[in-house]
Amino acid sequence: MSAASPTLAATRSGRLTHLQRLEAESIHIMRETVAETENPVMLYSIGKDSSVLLHLALKAFAPGRLPFPLMHIDTTWKFKEMIAFRDARAKELGLDLIVHTNQDGLDRGVGPISHGSEVHTDVMKTQGLRQALDTHKFDAAFGGARRDEEASRAKERIVSLRTAQHRWDPKRQRAEPWHIYNMKKKRGESLRVFPLSNWTELDVWLYIEQEGIPIVPLYFAAERPVVERDGQLIMVDDERLPLAPGETPQMRKVRFRTLGCYPLTGAVESPAVTLPEIIGETLAARTSERQGRVIDKDGSGAMERKKQEGYF
Amino acid sequence: MTIHHAPEAFGYDSFLAAHQHKEVLRFIACGSVDDGKSTLIGRLLHDTKQIFDDQITALQRDSRKHGTQGAEIDLALLVDGLQAEREQGITIDVAYRFFSTDKRSFIVADTPGHEQYTRNMATGASTADVAVILVDARAGLTRQTRRHALLVSLLGIRRVALAVNKMDLVGWSQDKFDSITQAFDAFAAPLGFAEVRAIPLSAKNGDNVVLPGAVVPWYRGTPLLQYLEEVPVRVEEQAAPFRMPVQWVNRPNSDFRGFSGLVASGRIAPGDAIVVEPSSRTSTIARIVTADGDLPEAREGQSVTLVLSDEIDASRGSVIAAADAPMRVTDRLDARLFWAAERELLPGASLLAKIGTVTVNAVVTEIRTRIDLETGSPEPAARLVANDIADVSLTLDRPVAVDAYRDNRDTGGFILIDRETTDTAALGLVQPEVEAKAKDEPAEARAAKSGGGFLSKFRWVFGGI
C-alpha cells in the first residue's frame, strides 16, 4: 500500500477527491455483496481493472483476509506474461485462486485462429465461465467491467441479475437507488457485481499510480515481435500464430491498453514506459481502449448480445 | 477552461496536482421525450473531447442506420446504447456517462422521459447532486417537464439547471426564453429548490453548452458546463449529523472487532460519543481503521472500519450515529413510495424492506393518498399501479433506525422487494414524524387550512421535503 496515504492528506484538506469517492463506493459494494450472498467469487482476468479490483478487495476487508476466492477463466490463449504475473501475485498474496479451462472446448481444439474470435470467445470464455460458476455454485461474481467501456455496459446496473442460464435481460433491470443494492434472487439465479462501474480508464490509471498497484508488464512499452492483421498489431507470443510464407515478425516498440487472448488483442505503438507516460497517452488518446479488442467489432450491439448469452 | 490536453503541453506533476483534488459532481439530465437530452449529453462528451475516433466512426455508421438528424451524425446514439433504444429512437434505461474538465469530474445519468420508465429516472435522480431539466424552446413547459421537476424535487435534489434547448429554432428569442423561465419559476416555487438556473442553449449546435454562444448577446450568464463546474456539491450531506450503517463486522482474530461501513453523512473522530441503533447503546469511537492506517477523522463518503471503546452489541443492520443527534427508532413508517412493479399494490401486501443495511418484513397497512403528478395534488387511492407515487403506512416486523428522507437521503431512503419475483418493487422515502401524527386529518382539510387551491396542495405534498 502507498506510504504517502492520500486518504489522510485529503481528509486534512477538507473534502474527498473523486478517486477517494470511487474507492469508497467500490469497497462499499464489495462489503454488501459479501454480507448478502452465500458464495461470492472474484473473476480475475489479470488485466489492469482486475488488479485494481483485487487491490480494493484487499482494502475492503483489511485487517481481515479476503473472504472469497479468485477465479480465472483460462482460454489457454492468454499472453505468457499474464499467466506468469497471475501465478506470482497469487503466491505473493497467498490468494485462493481457481483456474478453469473449458475442457470440452480444449478437447475439440477450439481456438481463435482455427475457429475465429466469435466461436472462440463463446466456447472458451462464455461457456467456460458458465461451467465454472455452475461447478462451484457461486451465486455472485465480481467483475471489473466499467460503464465507460461500451454503450450497453453504460446501461447495466452495478448489481446485475442473471437467470439460471446466466442470461442478462436488459429490459428487466432493477431500480438501484442511493447505495442500496437488491441482492435477492431466486434459486439458480446469480449476480454479477461490478464495483468499478463508475470508474473511467483514466481513473483506473490514476489509481494504479497513486496506490502503486502491480500490473502486467505488457502495459508498458517494449520491443516486441508483432505482425499486422486487419490493421491491428498482433504480438507473436508463441508458435501457434500462423505466419504467411516468408512473413517474419517485426520488432516494434509497443504496449497494450487492454489484455485478452493474444491473437485477439491489438497493440499500440508507444514510447510510454512509465505510468505518467501512459496516463499522458490516455489523455491524448484519439481512440477508445476497446479499439484493440477484436471481439467488440462483431457488429453494432455485439457486446449486448454477448452479455445476454452469458458473457461477463 | 482548458479541456483538451495536448500531449506536448502535458506536464504530469501539474496535471496530477490538479486532478487529485478534483471533486465529482453527479447530475441527471431529464425532460420530455424529444427535448434533446441524449443530444445534450452527446454534445457535452463531444465538446469536452471524450469521444474517441473509433466511436465517431461507429457513430457515423449507426447514424446512417438509426439516426434522426438526416445526414448529420446523431449524438444521441452515443448514449442510447441498447439495441431496443436505437431501434425505437428513445431512451429506455438510465445510462451513465463520464467526462471531466480541469475543474471537476462528472457522472451523468441520462434518464428516460417516458412515463413508463419513471423508476429508471428515479434511480438516476437518487444519487444526483444537480438536475438538468431540458425544455424545448418551441414547446415550452409540458406535462413531462412538470412531472420531472416534481420527481426531482421529491427525490431531494435541491439545485436545478433549466436548460432551454433548441433556442436556435426560435431565433434566440429573449421573450420566449423569459416566458419559459417565468412559467417554470412560478411552477417550481413550492418545490423547495435552493436554486434554479435558466440557460438558453442549442445542444445540436453547441451554443452555451460548453462554450458561450456568440449568437446570444442578451444572455450574460454562464454556459451550462461552467454552471456544473461551479455549483456547490453535497453541502447538505456534509452538514448532517454522523450516520454509518454497519455493513460487516470485521473480526479477523479475537483482538480486533471493527464495524465496517460507508459514512452516510457528517463526520466523526476518535473520542466522539456515538449511539448504536436500534439498540440505543452508547459508546465512544476508539479508532478509525483503514487499510492505509488509522484516520484522525472520517467523513461523509468514506468507507471505514470503526472500533468502539466498549464491547457493545452491533452487527450488520445496526447504524452508528452521533450521540447528540440520535435517529428515530420505529417499527411503523409513513413513507412516500415510487411504485415500480408491474403488479398492483393493494393494502395488506407483504414485502421485504431494505433500509440501509437491514432487511425486514414490511406490511403495507394503508395506502393513504396517491399524488397526481400533473396537478401535484393528493387524491385517494385504493391500489397502486406501476409508476404511481403515493403516501403509504408500513408496519415492520422489528424496529429500525431511520431519518426523514428530507434530512438524509441515505438513512431515509429504502427499497421494497417483492418476495416472489425478488424484483425491486418500490423506492421508498421516509416521511417526517410530524406529518405522520397529522395523518388522521383528511388531506382536503389540511389543504383548506393553508388557504386552499392548487399551490396549497403542492405545499401539502411537499410538506415532507
Side-chain angles (χ1 to χ4, degrees):
Chain A
M1 265 18 42
S2 163
S5 186
T7 315
L8 282 173
T11 302
R12 287 199 196 98
S13 84
R15 47 183 195 158
L16 300 183
T17 66
H18 188 192
L19 284 182
Q20 284 178 304
R21 283 194 186 273
L22 287 173
E23 179 189 81
E25 179 184 70
S26 302
I27 288 174
H28 176 258
I29 294 161
M30 289 183 177
R31 289 169 172 170
E32 281 299 287
T33 309
V34 166
E36 294 232 330
T37 61
E38 306 271 317
N39 191 18
V41 65
M42 177 175 286
L43 275 244
Y44 180 70
S45 73
I46 322 175
K48 64 182 191 301
D49 302 297
S50 281
S51 292
V52 167
L53 205 58
L54 174 57
H55 183 81
L56 289 164
L58 293 169
K59 279 194 163 190
F61 302 99
R65 279 177 54 87
L66 215 55
F68 43 76
L70 271 63
M71 183 163 75
H72 178 227
I73 304 303
D74 194 345
T75 62
T76 73
W77 288 88
K78 301 294 168 188
F79 292 88
K80 287 195 293 276
E81 277 182 80
M82 290 173 72
I83 302 301
F85 179 87
R86 175 194 76 189
D87 294 343
R89 285 297 280 164
K91 199 174 162 201
E92 183 188 343
L93 297 168
L95 301 172
D96 179 3
L97 173 73
I98 299 164
V99 177
H100 178 86
T101 299
N102 181 351
Q103 192 57 46
D104 170 59
L106 200 63
D107 292 344
R108 281 159 48 206
V110 172
I113 295 158
S114 51
H115 293 70
S117 69
E118 211 158 348
V119 173
H120 168 72
T121 305
D122 178 54
V123 173
M124 299 309 288
K125 229 173 149 174
T126 306
Q127 290 182 30
L129 173 64
R130 288 161 54 164
Q131 285 169 355
L133 292 171
D134 290 343
T135 304
H136 297 276
K137 302 209 175 348
F138 292 121
D139 64 340
F142 293 108
R146 309 186 320 263
R147 285 170 171 160
D148 77 327
E149 284 179 84
E150 198 272 333
S152 71
R153 283 188 167 166
K155 300 261 171 176
E156 190 164 10
R157 299 290 185 264
I158 289 171
V159 175
S160 187
L161 188 70
R162 294 292 189 276
T163 64
Q165 292 74 42
H166 301 281
R167 289 183 69 91
W168 178 54
D169 182 356
K171 288 180 189 161
R172 203 182 137 239
Q173 297 208 82
R174 293 166 167 179
E176 196 169 74
W178 305 293
H179 297 101
I180 303 180
Y181 304 99
N182 176 359
M183 305 238 182
K184 299 284 176 201
K185 55 201 175 306
K186 286 180 275 190
R187 200 179 180 80
E189 291 179 338
S190 60
L191 304 173
R192 303 290 178 275
V193 181
F194 305 106
L196 303 183
S197 288
N198 289 325
W199 296 58
T200 64
E201 184 187 15
L202 181 60
D203 297 327
V204 165
W205 283 118
L206 287 169
Y207 190 70
I208 287 170
E209 202 274 344
Q210 173 185 295
E211 301 284 305
I213 300 170
I215 50 170
V216 183
L218 291 163
Y219 286 112
F220 298 99
E223 295 283 337
R224 298 189 170 98
V226 293
V227 291
E228 218 173 301
R229 294 277 189 277
D230 298 328
Q232 301 262 9
L233 291 177
I234 301 297
M235 180 170 155
V236 186
D237 197 46
D238 58 35
E239 70 297 331
R240 288 180 293 177
L241 192 78
L243 300 174
E247 187 182 34
T248 48
Q250 292 179 302
M251 293 304 285
R252 307 259 281 262
K253 193 160 189 181
V254 295
R255 67 179 187 87
F256 295 86
R257 288 175 74 186
T258 63
L259 293 177
C261 294
Y262 85 81
L264 302 177
T265 309
V268 290
E269 296 209 80
S270 162
V273 293
T274 65
L275 285 170
E277 283 165 351
I278 289 175
I279 292 167
E281 282 194 359
T282 305
L283 282 167
R286 296 305 312 141
T287 53
S288 74
E289 64 185 320
R290 296 206 75 85
Q291 202 248 341
R293 290 291 185 102
V294 176
I295 63 162
D296 288 3
K297 305 223 174 68
D298 300 336
S300 192
M303 179 65 85
E304 184 181 344
R305 206 166 52 242
K306 286 195 180 75
K307 286 176 79 73
Q308 287 187 33
E309 287 157 6
Y311 178 81
F312 209 74
Chain B
M1 175 169 32
T2 2
I3 289 148
H4 187 63
H5 303 269
E8 63 273 16
F10 183 72
Y12 186 72
D13 290 341
S14 56
F15 163 79
L16 204 60
H19 276 245
Q20 273 189 331
H21 295 102
K22 269 201 293 196
E23 290 174 297
V24 61
L25 178 91
R26 286 175 181 250
F27 69 93
I28 64 162
C30 50
S32 299
V33 176
D34 293 317
D35 288 349
K37 291 175 306 293
S38 298
T39 309
L40 178 71
I41 293 170
R43 172 60 63 188
L44 282 167
L45 295 171
H46 183 268
D47 287 6
T48 54
K49 316 280 189 238
Q50 316 285 324
I51 314 279
F52 297 118
D53 288 347
D54 55 317
Q55 291 171 323
I56 290 281
T57 310
L59 193 59
Q60 283 163 345
R61 189 186 60 221
D62 291 344
S63 293
R64 280 194 295 275
K65 196 168 163 195
H66 300 298
T68 57
Q69 300 295 321
E72 291 175 57
I73 64 168
D74 186 352
L75 291 172
L77 292 176
L78 278 171
V79 286
D80 289 335
L82 298 176
Q83 288 296 305
E85 296 179 315
R86 288 159 170 253
E87 284 156 15
Q88 296 173 47
I90 56 164
T91 306
I92 292 173
D93 210 332
V94 54
Y96 293 91
R97 289 285 155 178
F98 310 85
F99 65 97
S100 66
T101 68
D102 288 351
K103 297 209 175 74
R104 271 188 181 160
S105 295
F106 298 94
I107 300 178
V108 194
D110 179 20
T111 59
H114 287 269
E115 216 157 312
Q116 65 264 43
Y117 305 118
T118 298
R119 58 175 178 261
N120 294 336
M121 182 192 156
T123 293
S126 71
T127 51
D129 303 303
V130 171
V132 176
I133 299 179
L134 269 96
V135 178
D136 183 333
R138 296 169 303 176
L141 300 192
T142 63
R143 186 171 170 271
Q144 290 271 11
T145 321
R146 284 190 280 271
R147 225 179 105 254
H148 285 155
L150 277 163
L151 289 169
V152 156
S153 161
L154 287 170
L155 285 158
I157 298 175
R158 314 281 171 113
R159 291 169 190 85
V160 168
L162 182 71
V164 183
N165 190 23
K166 307 192 184 182
M167 283 297 292
D168 53 317
L169 300 182
V170 296
W172 293 93
S173 157
Q174 186 174 5
D175 286 348
K176 194 94 199 173
F177 176 74
D178 287 347
S179 74
I180 290 171
T181 308
Q182 280 155 18
F184 188 85
D185 284 346
F187 170 79
L191 302 190
F193 294 128
E195 185 193 35
V196 175
R197 179 77 66 90
I199 301 169
L201 52 83
S202 164
K204 189 164 151 278
N205 300 339
D207 295 295
N208 273 337
V209 178
V210 170
L211 301 169
V215 287
V216 215
W218 49 265
Y219 177 71
R220 296 198 177 77
T222 58
L224 178 64
L225 181 65
Q226 194 182 334
Y227 168 76
L228 296 172
E229 285 182 327
E230 291 167 359
V231 63
V233 285
R234 302 188 72 78
V235 185
E236 289 81 10
E237 288 83 351
Q238 284 162 25
F242 178 78
R243 304 282 188 252
M244 192 195 85
V246 174
Q247 289 188 276
W248 163 265
V249 182
N250 195 327
R251 282 190 94 165
N253 54 61
S254 56
D255 298 333
F256 186 90
R257 184 157 171 262
F259 303 103
S260 297
L262 177 67
V263 179
S265 63
R267 54 178 65 196
I268 201 87
D272 286 355
I274 57 93
V275 56
V276 177
E277 301 291 12
S279 67
S280 300
R281 294 184 189 271
T282 55
S283 183
T284 53
I285 301 288
R287 294 172 60 196
I288 301 168
V289 177
T290 73
D292 296 312
D294 283 15
L295 301 183
E297 183 189 72
R299 63 177 55 218
E300 173 274 321
Q302 283 183 301
S303 278
V304 294
T305 298
L306 301 178
V307 178
L308 304 180
S309 312
D310 308 280
E311 282 272 325
I312 60 171
D313 182 41
S315 56
R316 177 170 172 83
S318 304
V319 186
I320 300 177
D324 59 359
M327 302 173 72
R328 208 170 114 207
V329 176
T330 178
D331 60 1
R332 279 160 195 275
L333 288 181
D334 284 337
R336 184 159 289 161
L337 290 190
F338 287 61
W339 188 249
E342 291 308 323
R343 71 181 235 196
E344 292 186 340
L345 176 72
L346 295 166
S350 170
L351 299 112
L352 295 171
K354 186 171 184 189
I355 304 171
T357 58
V358 69
T359 303
V360 296
N361 291 305
V363 173
V364 179
T365 47
E366 187 191 356
I367 297 172
R368 282 149 52 208
T369 47
R370 182 173 57 207
I371 296 163
D372 182 326
L373 275 178
E374 196 147 4
T375 64
S377 49
E379 54 187 33
R383 59 188 65 214
L384 300 184
V385 300
N387 297 304
D388 274 353
I389 299 178
D391 289 337
V392 305
S393 301
L394 300 172
T395 302
L396 313 178
D397 67 353
R398 68 194 124 120
V400 295
V402 292
D403 288 305
Y405 184 79
R406 69 168 182 202
D407 297 329
N408 199 316
R409 284 205 251 180
D410 277 314
T411 50
F414 63 93
I415 58 171
L416 292 181
I417 300 169
D418 186 313
R419 292 163 196 284
E420 224 168 273
T421 63
T422 72
D423 284 341
T424 302
L427 280 63
L429 280 51
V430 176
Q431 299 301 98
E433 223 167 352
V434 267
E435 199 194 339
K437 279 178 190 145
K439 75 172 181 189
D440 295 336
E441 198 178 352
E444 294 73 20
R446 260 171 289 157
K449 229 182 261 177
S450 52
F454 179 75
L455 280 187
S456 74
K457 282 184 179 167
F458 260 171
R459 279 191 200 100
W460 177 80
V461 170
F462 290 92
I465 298 292

